[in-house]
Amino acid sequence: MIVTFTDFGWEGPYIGQMEAVLRMRAPQVPVVHLQRDAPTWNPRAAAYLLSHLVEPFPAGTVFLCVVDPGVGTARRPIILQTPKAWWVGPDNGLMIPAARDQGLLGAWTIPYPELEPSVSFHGRDLFAPAAASLAQGESPSGEGIPLDTLVGVDWPRALREVIYVDAYGNLVTGIPGAEMPSSARIRLHGHTLSHARVFGAARPGEPFWYVNSMGLVEVAIRCDRAASRLHAGIGAGVVVEGLPGGDADDKGA
């Protein structure tokens, strides 16, 4: 299975062009478009979102990940291997939290083909062909990369920021829900929010936090758009209060 994760959006030809390469080069391999609206131009936020979306996929999945504002520059196109999956995308940290959680085994560069790829669409011209090859059982053909040189290997395990705004205006953070007792509070854009287990337990119009289906802390308002009401978006800092052992700052852990 090949699973794509991109910031390409729902309009334009980009997903279709990339899928066409996958279908031509690996016609028997199913393709799942996991996400098309990852945080635009923001590999760091997208990385923490991706890391909480990959658990259900079977061993051997090839993740094709493209949030790549550095396309065409000296940043490396890479392949990562973990015990459960292959990862194909740019060396900008996008794949690191997810791959690190599974256990990084190796990393390789993706060689440039004889025909020069587009300087603006490595998703189609470099990453898709590499993903298709891996999905058919081929091994990486590029040079090995020391794992400690990968961008993002020193990033924290959690990110106390808003990393995604969904279609309902809910604010998804990079904080794992497992770290948050229900007694904890969070502060976001001057608002202090308490926990509610489900939307129906919250008062209409009152912001609250809960643990969403991805296992991340999310800020919401029952039947309203938290992003608009709180004037918050991707990158907004979150302060956590009331954790055991003292309050935490907004830098992540």
Side-chain angles (χ1 to χ4, degrees), residues 43-91:
R44 185 177 171 93
Y48 287 88
L49 182 63
L50 174 63
S51 69
H52 283 78
L53 294 174
V54 302
E55 184 60 33
F57 292 97
T61 296
V62 178
F63 290 95
L64 172 52
C65 308
V66 190
V67 178
D68 193 17
V71 62
T73 69
R75 71 91 186 91
R76 297 177 292 193
I78 60 171
I79 292 169
L80 305 178
Q81 184 184 22
T82 69
K84 289 189 63 176
W86 292 98
W87 304 82
V88 181
D91 181 22

Side-chain angles (χ1 to χ4, degrees), residues 27-41:
Q28 304 305 317
V29 180
V31 177
V32 174
H33 298 303
L34 173 61
Q35 183 142 9
R36 303 185 189 200
D37 66 339
T40 306
W41 308 313

Side-chain angles (χ1 to χ4, degrees), residues 4 15 45 77 79 82 120 137 140 145 152 162 186 190 209-211 220-221 223:
T4 72
I15 284 286
I79 292 169
T82 69
S120 62
I145 301 172
V162 174
I186 66 174
W209 72 265
Y210 78 111
V211 180
I221 300 176
C223 298

Side-chain angles (χ1 to χ4, degrees), residues 222-239:
R222 183 177 172 185
C223 298
D224 205 345
R225 299 183 63 83
S228 300
R229 285 277 305 277
L230 302 182
H231 305 288
I234 293 171
V238 176
V239 177

